[in-house]
Coordinates of all heavy atoms in Angstrom, one line a residue:
M1 N 4.3 15.6 2.0 CA 4.1 14.2 1.7 C 2.7 13.7 2.0 O 2.1 14.1 3.0 CB 5.1 13.3 2.5 CG 4.9 11.8 2.3 SD 6.0 10.8 3.3 CE 7.5 11.0 2.4
L2 N 2.1 13.0 1.1 CA 0.7 12.5 1.3 C 0.8 11.2 2.1 O 1.7 10.4 1.9 CB 0.1 12.2 -0.1 CG -0.2 13.5 -1.0 CD1 -0.7 13.0 -2.3 CD2 -1.2 14.3 -0.3
S3 N -0.2 11.0 2.9 CA -0.3 9.8 3.6 C -1.1 8.8 2.8 O -1.9 9.1 2.0 CB -1.1 10.0 5.0 OG -2.4 10.4 4.7
I4 N -0.7 7.5 3.0 CA -1.3 6.5 2.2 C -2.2 5.6 3.1 O -1.8 5.2 4.1 CB -0.2 5.6 1.6 CG1 0.6 6.4 0.5 CG2 -0.8 4.3 0.9 CD1 1.7 5.6 -0.1
T5 N -3.4 5.5 2.6 CA -4.4 4.6 3.3 C -5.0 3.6 2.3 O -5.3 4.0 1.2 CB -5.5 5.4 4.0 OG1 -6.2 6.1 3.1 CG2 -4.9 6.2 5.1
L6 N -5.1 2.4 2.7 CA -5.6 1.4 1.8 C -7.1 1.0 2.2 O -7.6 0.0 1.6 CB -4.8 0.1 2.0 CG -3.3 0.2 1.6 CD1 -2.6 -1.1 1.8 CD2 -3.1 0.7 0.2
G7 N -7.7 1.7 3.0 CA -9.1 1.4 3.4 C -9.0 0.5 4.7 O -8.0 0.6 5.4
R8 N -10.0 -0.3 4.9 CA -10.0 -1.1 6.1 C -9.1 -2.3 6.0 O -8.9 -2.8 4.9 CB -11.4 -1.5 6.5 CG -12.1 -2.4 5.5 CD -13.5 -2.6 5.8 NE -14.2 -3.4 4.8 CZ -14.3 -4.7 4.8 NH1 -13.8 -5.4 5.9 NH2 -14.9 -5.3 3.9
P9 N -8.5 -2.7 7.1 CA -7.6 -3.9 7.1 C -8.5 -5.1 6.8 O -9.7 -5.1 6.9 CB -7.1 -3.9 8.6 CG -7.4 -2.6 9.2 CD -8.5 -2.0 8.4
S10 N -7.8 -6.2 6.5 CA -8.5 -7.4 6.3 C -9.3 -7.8 7.5 O -8.9 -7.5 8.6 CB -7.5 -8.5 5.9 OG -6.6 -8.8 7.0
S11 N -10.4 -8.5 7.3 CA -11.3 -8.8 8.3 C -10.8 -9.8 9.4 O -11.4 -10.0 10.4 CB -12.6 -9.3 7.8 OG -12.5 -10.4 7.0
T12 N -9.8 -10.6 9.0 CA -9.3 -11.6 10.0 C -8.4 -10.9 11.0 O -7.4 -10.3 10.7 CB -8.5 -12.7 9.2 OG1 -9.2 -13.2 8.1 CG2 -8.0 -13.8 10.1
L13 N -8.8 -11.1 12.3 CA -8.1 -10.5 13.4 C -7.8 -11.5 14.4 O -8.7 -12.2 14.9 CB -8.9 -9.3 14.0 CG -8.2 -8.6 15.1 CD1 -6.9 -7.9 14.6 CD2 -9.1 -7.5 15.7
T14 N -6.5 -11.6 14.8 CA -6.1 -12.6 15.8 C -5.8 -11.9 17.1 O -5.7 -10.7 17.1 CB -4.9 -13.4 15.3 OG1 -3.8 -12.5 15.2 CG2 -5.1 -14.2 14.0
A15 N -5.6 -12.7 18.1 CA -5.4 -12.1 19.5 C -4.1 -11.2 19.5 O -4.0 -10.3 20.3 CB -5.4 -13.2 20.5
D16 N -3.2 -11.6 18.7 CA -1.9 -10.8 18.7 C -1.9 -9.6 17.8 O -0.9 -8.9 17.6 CB -0.7 -11.7 18.4 CG -0.8 -12.3 16.9 OD1 -1.8 -12.0 16.2 OD2 0.2 -13.0 16.5
G17 N -3.0 -9.3 17.2 CA -3.2 -8.1 16.3 C -2.5 -8.3 14.9 O -2.2 -7.3 14.3
S18 N -2.4 -9.5 14.4 CA -1.7 -9.7 13.2 C -2.4 -9.1 12.0 O -1.7 -8.7 11.0 CB -1.4 -11.2 12.9 OG -2.7 -11.9 12.8
S19 N -3.7 -8.9 12.1 CA -4.4 -8.2 11.0 C -3.8 -6.8 10.8 O -3.6 -6.3 9.7 CB -5.9 -8.2 11.2 OG -6.5 -7.5 10.2
S20 N -3.6 -6.1 11.9 CA -3.1 -4.7 11.8 C -1.7 -4.7 11.2 O -1.3 -3.9 10.4 CB -3.0 -4.1 13.2 OG -2.4 -2.9 13.2
V21 N -0.8 -5.7 11.6 CA 0.5 -5.8 11.1 C 0.5 -6.1 9.6 O 1.2 -5.5 8.8 CB 1.3 -6.9 11.9 CG1 2.7 -7.2 11.2 CG2 1.5 -6.5 13.3
R22 N -0.4 -7.0 9.2 CA -0.6 -7.3 7.8 C -1.0 -6.1 7.0 O -0.4 -5.8 5.9 CB -1.6 -8.4 7.7 CG -1.8 -8.9 6.3 CD -2.8 -10.1 6.4 NE -3.1 -10.6 5.1 CZ -3.5 -11.8 4.8 NH1 -3.8 -12.6 5.7 NH2 -3.7 -12.1 3.5
H23 N -1.9 -5.3 7.5 CA -2.3 -4.1 6.8 C -1.2 -3.1 6.7 O -1.0 -2.5 5.7 CB -3.5 -3.5 7.6 CG -4.1 -2.3 6.9 ND1 -4.8 -2.3 5.8 CD2 -4.1 -1.0 7.3 CE1 -5.2 -1.1 5.4 NE2 -4.8 -0.3 6.3
E24 N -0.4 -2.9 7.8 CA 0.7 -2.0 7.8 C 1.8 -2.5 6.8 O 2.4 -1.6 6.1 CB 1.3 -1.9 9.2 CG 0.5 -1.1 10.2 CD 1.1 -1.1 11.6 OE1 2.3 -1.2 11.7 OE2 0.3 -1.0 12.5
S25 N 2.0 -3.8 6.7 CA 2.9 -4.3 5.8 C 2.5 -4.0 4.4 O 3.3 -3.5 3.6 CB 3.0 -5.8 6.0 OG 3.8 -6.4 4.9
R26 N 1.3 -4.2 4.0 CA 0.8 -3.9 2.7 C 0.9 -2.4 2.4 O 1.4 -2.0 1.3 CB -0.7 -4.2 2.6 CG -1.0 -5.6 2.2 CD -2.5 -5.9 2.1 NE -3.2 -5.0 1.2 CZ -4.5 -5.0 1.1 NH1 -5.3 -5.8 1.9 NH2 -5.1 -4.2 0.2
T27 N 0.6 -1.5 3.4 CA 0.7 -0.1 3.2 C 2.1 0.3 2.9 O 2.4 1.1 2.0 CB 0.2 0.6 4.5 OG1 -1.2 0.3 4.7 CG2 0.3 2.1 4.3
E28 N 3.1 -0.2 3.7 CA 4.5 0.2 3.5 C 5.0 -0.3 2.2 O 5.8 0.4 1.5 CB 5.3 -0.3 4.7 CG 5.1 0.5 5.9 CD 5.3 2.0 5.8 OE1 6.3 2.4 5.2 OE2 4.4 2.7 6.3
I29 N 4.6 -1.5 1.7 CA 5.1 -2.1 0.5 C 4.5 -1.2 -0.7 O 5.3 -0.9 -1.6 CB 4.8 -3.6 0.3 CG1 5.7 -4.3 1.3 CG2 5.0 -4.0 -1.1 CD1 5.4 -5.8 1.4
V30 N 3.3 -0.9 -0.6 CA 2.6 0.0 -1.6 C 3.4 1.3 -1.7 O 3.7 1.8 -2.8 CB 1.1 0.2 -1.4 CG1 0.6 1.3 -2.2 CG2 0.4 -1.1 -1.7
K31 N 3.6 1.9 -0.6 CA 4.3 3.2 -0.5 C 5.7 3.1 -1.1 O 6.1 3.9 -1.9 CB 4.4 3.7 1.0 CG 5.0 5.0 1.2 CD 5.0 5.3 2.7 CE 5.8 6.6 2.9 NZ 5.8 6.9 4.4
W32 N 6.4 2.1 -0.8 CA 7.8 1.9 -1.3 C 7.8 1.7 -2.8 O 8.6 2.3 -3.5 CB 8.4 0.6 -0.6 CG 9.8 0.3 -1.0 CD1 10.9 1.0 -0.9 CD2 10.2 -0.9 -1.7 NE1 12.0 0.4 -1.4 CE2 11.5 -0.8 -2.0 CE3 9.5 -2.0 -2.2 CZ2 12.2 -1.8 -2.6 CZ3 10.2 -3.0 -2.8 CH2 11.5 -2.9 -3.0
C33 N 6.9 0.8 -3.3 CA 6.8 0.6 -4.7 C 6.5 1.9 -5.5 O 7.1 2.2 -6.5 CB 5.8 -0.5 -5.1 SG 6.4 -2.2 -4.7
A34 N 5.5 2.6 -5.0 CA 5.0 3.8 -5.6 C 6.1 4.9 -5.6 O 6.4 5.6 -6.6 CB 3.7 4.3 -5.0
E35 N 6.6 5.2 -4.4 CA 7.6 6.3 -4.3 C 8.9 6.0 -4.9 O 9.6 7.0 -5.4 CB 7.8 6.6 -2.8 CG 6.6 7.3 -2.1 CD 6.8 7.6 -0.7 OE1 7.9 7.2 -0.1 OE2 6.0 8.2 -0.1
N36 N 9.3 4.8 -5.0 CA 10.7 4.4 -5.6 C 10.6 3.7 -6.9 O 11.6 3.2 -7.4 CB 11.4 3.5 -4.5 CG 11.7 4.3 -3.3 OD1 12.5 5.2 -3.3 ND2 11.0 4.0 -2.2
L37 N 9.4 3.8 -7.5 CA 9.2 3.2 -8.9 C 9.7 1.8 -9.0 O 10.3 1.4 -10.0 CB 10.0 4.1 -9.9 CG 9.6 5.6 -9.9 CD1 10.5 6.4 -10.9 CD2 8.1 5.8 -10.2
R38 N 9.3 1.0 -8.0 CA 9.7 -0.4 -8.0 C 8.6 -1.2 -8.7 O 7.4 -0.9 -8.6 CB 9.8 -1.0 -6.6 CG 10.8 -0.3 -5.7 CD 12.2 -0.6 -6.2 NE 13.1 0.1 -5.3 CZ 14.3 0.6 -5.7 NH1 14.6 0.4 -6.9 NH2 15.1 1.1 -4.8
P39 N 8.9 -2.2 -9.4 CA 7.9 -3.0 -10.1 C 7.1 -3.8 -9.1 O 7.6 -4.3 -8.0 CB 8.7 -4.0 -11.0 CG 10.0 -4.1 -10.3 CD 10.3 -2.7 -9.7
F40 N 5.8 -4.0 -9.3 CA 5.0 -4.7 -8.3 C 5.4 -6.1 -8.1 O 5.2 -6.7 -7.1 CB 3.5 -4.6 -8.8 CG 3.0 -3.3 -9.0 CD1 2.1 -3.0 -10.0 CD2 3.4 -2.2 -8.2 CE1 1.6 -1.7 -10.3 CE2 2.9 -0.9 -8.4 CZ 2.0 -0.7 -9.5
K41 N 6.0 -6.7 -9.2 CA 6.3 -8.1 -9.1 C 7.6 -8.4 -8.2 O 7.9 -9.5 -7.9 CB 6.6 -8.7 -10.5 CG 7.8 -8.2 -11.2 CD 7.9 -8.8 -12.6 CE 9.1 -8.3 -13.3 NZ 9.3 -9.0 -14.6
I42 N 8.2 -7.3 -7.7 CA 9.3 -7.4 -6.8 C 9.0 -8.2 -5.6 O 9.8 -8.9 -5.0 CB 9.9 -6.1 -6.4 CG1 11.3 -6.3 -5.9 CG2 9.1 -5.3 -5.4 CD1 12.2 -5.0 -5.8
V43 N 7.7 -8.2 -5.2 CA 7.3 -8.9 -4.0 C 7.3 -10.5 -4.2 O 7.3 -11.2 -3.2 CB 5.9 -8.5 -3.4 CG1 5.9 -7.1 -3.0 CG2 4.8 -8.7 -4.5
S44 N 7.4 -10.9 -5.4 CA 7.5 -12.3 -5.8 C 9.0 -12.8 -5.9 O 9.2 -13.9 -6.0 CB 6.8 -12.6 -7.1 OG 5.4 -12.4 -7.0
D45 N 9.9 -11.8 -5.9 CA 11.3 -12.1 -6.0 C 11.8 -12.9 -4.8 O 11.6 -12.6 -3.7 CB 12.1 -10.8 -6.1 CG 13.6 -11.1 -6.3 OD1 14.0 -11.5 -7.4 OD2 14.3 -10.9 -5.3
Q46 N 12.5 -14.1 -5.1 CA 12.9 -14.9 -4.0 C 13.9 -14.2 -3.0 O 13.8 -14.4 -1.8 CB 13.6 -16.2 -4.6 CG 13.9 -17.2 -3.5 CD 14.5 -18.5 -4.1 OE1 14.9 -18.5 -5.3 NE2 14.6 -19.5 -3.4
G47 N 14.8 -13.4 -3.6 CA 15.7 -12.7 -2.7 C 15.0 -11.7 -1.8 O 15.3 -11.5 -0.6
F48 N 14.0 -11.0 -2.4 CA 13.3 -10.0 -1.6 C 12.5 -10.7 -0.5 O 12.5 -10.3 0.6 CB 12.3 -9.2 -2.5 CG 11.5 -8.2 -1.8 CD1 12.0 -7.0 -1.4 CD2 10.1 -8.5 -1.6 CE1 11.2 -6.1 -0.7 CE2 9.3 -7.6 -0.9 CZ 9.9 -6.4 -0.5
Q49 N 11.9 -11.8 -0.8 CA 11.1 -12.6 0.1 C 12.0 -13.1 1.3 O 11.6 -13.0 2.4 CB 10.3 -13.7 -0.5 CG 9.2 -13.3 -1.4 CD 8.4 -14.4 -2.0 OE1 8.8 -15.6 -1.9 NE2 7.4 -14.1 -2.7
C50 N 13.1 -13.6 0.9 CA 14.1 -14.1 1.9 C 14.5 -12.9 2.8 O 14.6 -13.1 4.1 CB 15.3 -14.7 1.2 SG 16.5 -15.4 2.3
L51 N 14.8 -11.8 2.3 CA 15.2 -10.6 3.0 C 14.1 -10.2 4.0 O 14.4 -9.9 5.2 CB 15.6 -9.5 2.1 CG 15.9 -8.1 2.8 CD1 17.2 -8.2 3.6 CD2 16.1 -7.0 1.7
M52 N 12.9 -10.1 3.5 CA 11.8 -9.6 4.3 C 11.4 -10.6 5.4 O 10.9 -10.2 6.5 CB 10.6 -9.3 3.4 CG 10.8 -8.2 2.4 SD 11.3 -6.6 3.2 CE 9.9 -6.2 4.1
K53 N 11.7 -11.9 5.2 CA 11.3 -12.9 6.2 C 12.4 -13.3 7.1 O 12.2 -14.1 8.0 CB 10.7 -14.1 5.5 CG 9.4 -13.8 4.8 CD 8.9 -15.0 4.0 CE 7.6 -14.7 3.3 NZ 6.4 -15.3 3.9
T54 N 13.6 -12.7 6.9 CA 14.7 -12.9 7.8 C 14.3 -12.5 9.2 O 14.0 -11.3 9.5 CB 16.0 -12.2 7.4 OG1 16.3 -12.6 6.1 CG2 17.1 -12.4 8.3
G55 N 14.4 -13.4 10.2 CA 14.1 -13.1 11.6 C 12.6 -13.1 11.9 O 12.2 -13.1 13.0
C56 N 11.8 -13.2 10.8 CA 10.3 -13.3 11.0 C 9.7 -14.1 9.8 O 9.2 -13.5 8.9 CB 9.7 -11.9 11.0 SG 8.0 -11.8 11.5
P57 N 9.9 -15.4 9.9 CA 9.4 -16.3 8.8 C 8.0 -16.1 8.4 O 7.6 -16.4 7.3 CB 9.7 -17.7 9.3 CG 10.7 -17.5 10.4 CD 10.4 -16.2 11.0
G58 N 7.1 -15.7 9.3 CA 5.7 -15.5 9.0 C 5.3 -14.2 8.5 O 4.1 -13.9 8.3
Y59 N 6.3 -13.4 8.2 CA 6.0 -12.0 7.7 C 5.2 -12.1 6.4 O 5.4 -12.8 5.5 CB 7.4 -11.3 7.3 CG 7.2 -9.8 7.0 CD1 7.0 -8.9 8.0 CD2 7.2 -9.4 5.7 CE1 6.9 -7.5 7.6 CE2 7.1 -8.1 5.3 CZ 6.9 -7.2 6.3 OH 6.8 -5.8 6.0
Y60 N 4.1 -11.3 6.4 CA 3.1 -11.3 5.3 C 3.7 -10.4 4.2 O 4.1 -9.3 4.3 CB 1.8 -10.7 5.8 CG 0.9 -10.4 4.7 CD1 0.2 -11.4 4.0 CD2 0.7 -9.1 4.2 CE1 -0.7 -11.1 2.9 CE2 -0.2 -8.8 3.2 CZ -0.8 -9.8 2.5 OH -1.7 -9.6 1.5
L61 N 3.7 -11.0 3.0 CA 4.0 -10.3 1.8 C 2.8 -10.4 0.8 O 2.4 -11.5 0.5 CB 5.2 -10.9 1.1 CG 6.5 -10.5 1.8 CD1 7.7 -11.4 1.2 CD2 6.9 -9.1 1.7
P62 N 2.2 -9.3 0.3 CA 1.1 -9.3 -0.6 C 1.6 -9.8 -2.0 O 2.8 -9.8 -2.3 CB 0.6 -7.9 -0.6 CG 1.9 -7.1 -0.3 CD 2.6 -7.9 0.6
S63 N 0.6 -10.2 -2.8 CA 1.0 -10.7 -4.1 C 1.2 -9.4 -5.0 O 0.7 -8.3 -4.6 CB -0.2 -11.5 -4.7 OG -1.3 -10.6 -4.9
P64 N 1.8 -9.6 -6.2 CA 1.9 -8.4 -7.1 C 0.6 -7.8 -7.5 O 0.4 -6.6 -7.6 CB 2.7 -9.0 -8.3 CG 3.4 -10.2 -7.8 CD 2.6 -10.7 -6.7
A65 N -0.4 -8.7 -7.6 CA -1.8 -8.2 -8.0 C -2.4 -7.4 -6.9 O -3.0 -6.3 -7.2 CB -2.7 -9.4 -8.3
T66 N -2.1 -7.7 -5.6 CA -2.6 -6.9 -4.5 C -1.9 -5.6 -4.5 O -2.6 -4.6 -4.3 CB -2.4 -7.7 -3.2 OG1 -3.2 -8.9 -3.2 CG2 -2.8 -6.9 -2.0
V67 N -0.6 -5.6 -4.7 CA 0.2 -4.3 -4.7 C -0.4 -3.4 -5.8 O -0.6 -2.2 -5.6 CB 1.7 -4.6 -4.8 CG1 2.4 -3.3 -4.9 CG2 2.2 -5.4 -3.6
S68 N -0.6 -4.0 -7.0 CA -1.1 -3.2 -8.1 C -2.4 -2.6 -7.8 O -2.7 -1.4 -8.0 CB -1.2 -4.1 -9.3 OG -1.8 -3.4 -10.4
R69 N -3.3 -3.4 -7.3 CA -4.7 -3.0 -6.9 C -4.6 -1.9 -5.9 O -5.3 -0.8 -6.0 CB -5.5 -4.1 -6.4 CG -7.0 -3.7 -6.1 CD -7.8 -4.9 -5.5 NE -7.2 -5.2 -4.2 CZ -6.8 -6.4 -3.8 NH1 -6.9 -7.4 -4.7 NH2 -6.4 -6.6 -2.6
D70 N -3.8 -2.0 -4.9 CA -3.7 -1.0 -3.8 C -3.1 0.3 -4.3 O -3.5 1.4 -3.9 CB -2.8 -1.6 -2.7 CG -3.5 -2.7 -1.9 OD1 -4.7 -2.9 -2.0 OD2 -2.8 -3.3 -1.0
V71 N -2.1 0.2 -5.2 CA -1.5 1.4 -5.7 C -2.5 2.2 -6.6 O -2.7 3.4 -6.4 CB -0.2 1.1 -6.6 CG1 0.2 2.3 -7.4 CG2 0.9 0.7 -5.7
K72 N -3.3 1.5 -7.3 CA -4.4 2.1 -8.1 C -5.4 2.8 -7.2 O -5.9 3.9 -7.5 CB -5.0 1.1 -9.1 CG -4.1 0.7 -10.2 CD -4.8 -0.4 -11.0 CE -3.8 -0.9 -12.1 NZ -4.3 -2.1 -12.8
A73 N -5.8 2.1 -6.2 CA -6.8 2.6 -5.2 C -6.2 3.9 -4.5 O -7.0 4.9 -4.4 CB -7.2 1.6 -4.2
V74 N -5.0 3.9 -4.1 CA -4.4 5.0 -3.5 C -4.3 6.2 -4.5 O -4.7 7.3 -4.2 CB -3.0 4.7 -3.0 CG1 -2.2 6.0 -2.6 CG2 -3.0 3.8 -1.8
F75 N -4.0 5.9 -5.8 CA -4.0 6.9 -6.8 C -5.3 7.6 -7.0 O -5.5 8.8 -7.0 CB -3.5 6.4 -8.1 CG -3.6 7.4 -9.3 CD1 -2.7 8.4 -9.4 CD2 -4.7 7.3 -10.1 CE1 -2.8 9.3 -10.4 CE2 -4.9 8.3 -11.1 CZ -3.9 9.3 -11.3
V76 N -6.4 6.8 -7.1 CA -7.7 7.3 -7.3 C -8.1 8.2 -6.1 O -8.7 9.3 -6.3 CB -8.8 6.2 -7.5 CG1 -10.2 6.6 -7.4 CG2 -8.5 5.5 -8.8
R77 N -7.9 7.7 -4.9 CA -8.3 8.6 -3.7 C -7.5 9.8 -3.6 O -8.0 10.9 -3.3 CB -8.1 7.7 -2.4 CG -9.3 6.8 -2.2 CD -9.3 6.3 -0.7 NE -8.1 5.5 -0.4 CZ -7.9 4.2 -0.6 NH1 -8.9 3.6 -1.3 NH2 -6.8 3.6 -0.3
T78 N -6.2 9.7 -3.9 CA -5.3 10.9 -3.9 C -5.7 11.9 -5.0 O -5.8 13.1 -4.8 CB -3.8 10.5 -4.1 OG1 -3.5 9.6 -3.0 CG2 -2.9 11.7 -4.0
H79 N -6.0 11.4 -6.2 CA -6.5 12.3 -7.3 C -7.7 13.0 -6.9 O -7.9 14.2 -7.2 CB -6.7 11.4 -8.5 CG -7.1 12.1 -9.7 ND1 -8.4 12.4 -10.0 CD2 -6.4 12.7 -10.7 CE1 -8.5 13.1 -11.1 NE2 -7.3 13.3 -11.6
T80 N -8.7 12.3 -6.3 CA -9.9 12.9 -5.9 C -9.7 14.0 -4.8 O -10.3 15.1 -4.9 CB -10.9 11.8 -5.3 OG1 -11.1 10.9 -6.4 CG2 -12.2 12.4 -4.9
R81 N -8.8 13.7 -3.8 CA -8.5 14.7 -2.8 C -7.9 15.9 -3.4 O -8.2 17.1 -3.0 CB -7.6 14.1 -1.7 CG -8.3 13.2 -0.7 CD -7.5 12.8 0.4 NE -6.1 13.2 0.5 CZ -5.1 12.5 1.0 NH1 -5.4 11.3 1.5 NH2 -3.9 12.9 1.1
I82 N -6.9 15.8 -4.3 CA -6.3 16.9 -4.9 C -7.2 17.7 -5.8 O -7.2 18.9 -5.7 CB -5.0 16.5 -5.7 CG1 -4.0 15.9 -4.7 CG2 -4.5 17.6 -6.5 CD1 -2.8 15.3 -5.4
A83 N -8.1 17.0 -6.5 CA -9.1 17.7 -7.3 C -10.0 18.6 -6.5 O -10.3 19.7 -6.9 CB -9.9 16.7 -8.1
K84 N -10.4 18.1 -5.4 CA -11.2 18.9 -4.4 C -10.5 20.1 -3.9 O -11.1 21.2 -3.8 CB -11.8 18.0 -3.3 CG -12.8 17.0 -3.7 CD -13.3 16.2 -2.5 CE -14.3 15.2 -2.9 NZ -14.7 14.3 -1.8
L85 N -9.2 19.9 -3.6 CA -8.4 21.0 -3.1 C -8.2 22.1 -4.1 O -8.1 23.3 -3.8 CB -7.0 20.5 -2.6 CG -7.0 19.7 -1.4 CD1 -5.6 19.1 -1.1 CD2 -7.4 20.5 -0.1
L86 N -8.2 21.7 -5.4 CA -7.9 22.7 -6.5 C -9.2 23.3 -7.1 O -9.1 24.2 -7.9 CB -7.1 22.0 -7.6 CG -5.7 21.5 -7.2 CD1 -5.1 20.8 -8.4 CD2 -4.8 22.7 -6.8
Q87 N -10.3 22.9 -6.6 CA -11.6 23.5 -7.2 C -11.7 24.9 -6.7 O -11.3 25.3 -5.6 CB -12.8 22.7 -6.7 CG -13.0 21.4 -7.3 CD -14.2 20.6 -6.8 OE1 -14.7 21.0 -5.8 NE2 -14.6 19.6 -7.5
V88 N -12.1 25.8 -7.6 CA -12.3 27.2 -7.3 C -13.7 27.4 -6.8 O -14.6 27.0 -7.4 CB -12.0 28.0 -8.6 CG1 -12.2 29.5 -8.3 CG2 -10.6 27.7 -9.1
S89 N -13.8 28.1 -5.8 CA -15.1 28.5 -5.2 C -15.8 29.5 -6.1 O -15.2 30.4 -6.6 CB -14.9 29.0 -3.8 OG -16.2 29.4 -3.3
T90 N -17.1 29.3 -6.3 CA -17.8 30.3 -7.1 C -18.8 31.1 -6.3 O -20.0 31.1 -6.4 CB -18.6 29.5 -8.2 OG1 -19.4 28.5 -7.6 CG2 -17.7 28.9 -9.2
L91 N -18.2 31.8 -5.3 CA -19.0 32.6 -4.4 C -19.5 33.9 -5.2 O -18.7 34.5 -6.0 CB -18.3 33.0 -3.2 CG -17.9 31.8 -2.3 CD1 -17.0 32.4 -1.1 CD2 -19.1 31.2 -1.7
P92 N -20.7 34.4 -4.9 CA -21.1 35.6 -5.6 C -20.4 36.8 -5.2 O -19.8 37.0 -4.3 CB -22.6 35.7 -5.3 CG -22.9 34.7 -4.2 CD -21.7 33.8 -4.1

């Protein structure tokens, strides 16, 4: 299984570390959408939002555009890593 990284977390950091939680939330939603072929707009679904915010009303949910952008970025980085792994060495 490949690990997913979205780059650096958002620059806003609070004393309780919410920036890190926000970044982890984005990462997990991107992973879930990509691995389970979920549409990016699912994060806008009222039922999904209600479920995700149950017990934690301030839970961060990215927009569909953010999920789409993040999935594309992960794809590009993964494609580049795999291409490097598959290159054949041309030693004399």
